[in-house]
Amino acid sequence: MFGFVPVTLALTCAAPRASSPRQWMRAVACMLLGQALSVPLAVQAQSQAQVGEPSGEEEELALSFGDKATVSIATGAQQPLRRAPAVATVITAEDIKAMGATDLNDVMEAVPGVHVSRSPVAYTPLYLFRGIYSDYNAQTLMLQNGVPMTTMFIGNRGLFGYGQPLENVERIEVIRGPGSALYGADAFSGVINIITKSSAHIQGTEVGARGGSFSSYGAWVLHGGKLGPMDVAAYFRGGRTDGFKEPIGADTQSYIDGAVGASVSLAPGAVNTGYKGLDGGLDLSHQNVRWRLGYMLREGETGAGVARALDPVGRGKSERINSDVSWRGIELARHWDLGLNASYMHYTQQIPEPLMLFPPGASGGAFPNGMFGGPHTWERQLRLSAVSTYTGLDDHNLRFGVGHDDLDLYKTQEFKNFNIVVVNIAGQPTPVPVVRGDGSVVPVPVGESFLTPQRRKVDYAYVQDEWRFARDWALTGGIRHDRYSDNGDTTNPRLAMVWDASVDLTAKLLYGKAFRAPALTEQYSINNPVAQGNPDLKPETIGTWEAAFAWQARPDTDVNLSLFRYRMKGIIRTTDQGTGVSLWNNAGTQHGKGMELEAVWRATNTLRVQGHYAWQRSVDETTGHDAGFAPRHHLFGRMDWSVVNGWQVGGQVNRVAGRKRAFWDSRSDIADYTTVDLTLRSTSISKGWEFAASIRNLFEADAREPTSAADNIPGDLPLARRSFFLQASYRM
């Protein structure tokens, strides 16, 4: 259930200021109690037969906010969200509109247990599930229509992740917790499945445009209809932004300047967050066969710099072409059916303007025009899978799956104006950059670049059984085995017990194991002055226990609670080799625990209030210290009010608190922040037209996302201050 703590009730309880979980939970309990008492007690007199049945007002709300009662990501098949054997969240297209979300980052920040942080490189989003942080966020698996969007080089959605627009998104399903028993690699801390719109969701033609702060603008067109016997949906969008220009006071070059007595850093200076992009999609279906084609192009600036030194000239570019074809509902025999799926993705990362690693005058003046580099990668991914279900056993639903992935980083190329030479400094061999040739940026031989081409093949098989062994009890068990061509085998089980304790209460007890495969840069990186690859790496692993409760406290009020505990082993980190260059190793262990409390109150047929509070504590077992970076406390509240004549007002509050530094970082803890957003939209000013206006960070909070000590950005990464947008769309 997508639910949040009621913001309108905050007036009845003091806002939580203390950092202890007990005080935070007391404050949240006060809010929830105030909500419960605000509803007339007479409602409780309704009979049990009426509990859970939608009233006329609830049906109207369902029309307003879309179908959030079912989810497919938990087992691979559609089922009621409340009884799904996972802790899951569903966000519909109507939710997206109501909250004024324009990008996936806006939506993910509203999911309980998830916080959106940022990487210094291009301000790429990091989706932190339950306190699990890493530099590139490879522990979160993103799917699009069930197909992984993972790139091979660094193991995430791409080094230059400049946003994911939402105009063509029908719903987003999120699992908090492990998912490798079904989805394999990287379904480690959480899984995000983006489901795009079909012709049934569009029905006609829609055109729209949006403009706002930072010289941002975009336009799109959607079409859904028939082409002979086929259902057709098509989408195209283009947009650009100059990005916000918040300042940072110091960067890596500032640190170097202080050590050698120079003054060449461009800091204090502004981060560079502008980008432009194109998106397209085509969806054709006939009976049980469906073919999709997607396109994404991004070109933009480098944030705080690839080397954590400000770079006003470099630009990164990524291009993704993805296609999948599926054939469902093939009847093999009585009680047996079969589904087939094939997908292909071609992804390139290129550098149209060489990245300025360090500014003019770097390395004691050896680089008068600056130190430049540019890694290019080309990869293609072919995935084939078959899924068969068997329903011939009473109270059982068996699911069998097999698949083969051919993941080919088939070409690499690097442009740079320097070489790495190992010299002896203070009795230790140390890599030092020296000017290459005349100092111009030139291509280098593959053997001297950052990575040689690599190919990885994966074969896997899994089985899952959903067993309803008693009237109110269901047990889901599954296990998947993956065989990698380059780092061995891994087996990951799951077990979930779901109990309908009463007509208004469902309880779940869950266990799952998951893994993350090493990224190619971690395993095969060469000629890197910072970290060398390790071909002997093994996957990271995690085991997670969860308990969850879904309670319909009143016919108009839902409350969900999830508790979790996990332990990570074999965490892939760099370790010092005493040579000035680190090596990637399985060198870390971490454990964590926490809770997520959600509430939804459908006050009337025009007012909906929701919110969540999440608490977590993650500990690095190597140091016994807080793992750092992720918020211990996350409080989110949202209200949607349909005023009159199709006008809807929405407001949300986001409180991020309790972020600690890692053990080796002596800086004070990351400052807390609270942002407030407002959205106004209307669908009835004129037939076919829809308008929206939104203000983000209304009170200009100084919101910042943490950097590590090694990034040498002492003031962390500033986020945008107050911004706004205006939007109009027309449906024909």
Side-chain angles (χ1 to χ4, degrees), residues 160 162 298-302 314-318 350-352 355:
F160 301 105
Y162 298 109
R298 297 288 184 272
E299 182 178 335
E301 298 172 326
T302 60
R315 297 184 71 83
K317 178 181 177 181
S318 64
Q350 300 183 58
I351 312 299
L355 307 175

Side-chain angles (χ1 to χ4, degrees), residues 525-539:
S525 179
I526 57 176
N527 297 318
N528 187 322
V530 178
Q532 292 293 303
N534 181 356
D536 296 325
L537 283 177
K538 299 300 180 184

Side-chain angles (χ1 to χ4, degrees), residues 125-139:
L126 309 176
Y127 302 129
L128 309 186
F129 281 71
R130 295 176 167 177
I132 296 176
Y133 174 93
S134 65
D135 286 343
Y136 298 112
N137 194 216
Q139 292 83 2

Side-chain angles (χ1 to χ4, degrees), residues 296 360 420 629 652:
M296 177 182 287
I420 296 296
F629 300 99
Q652 59 189 43

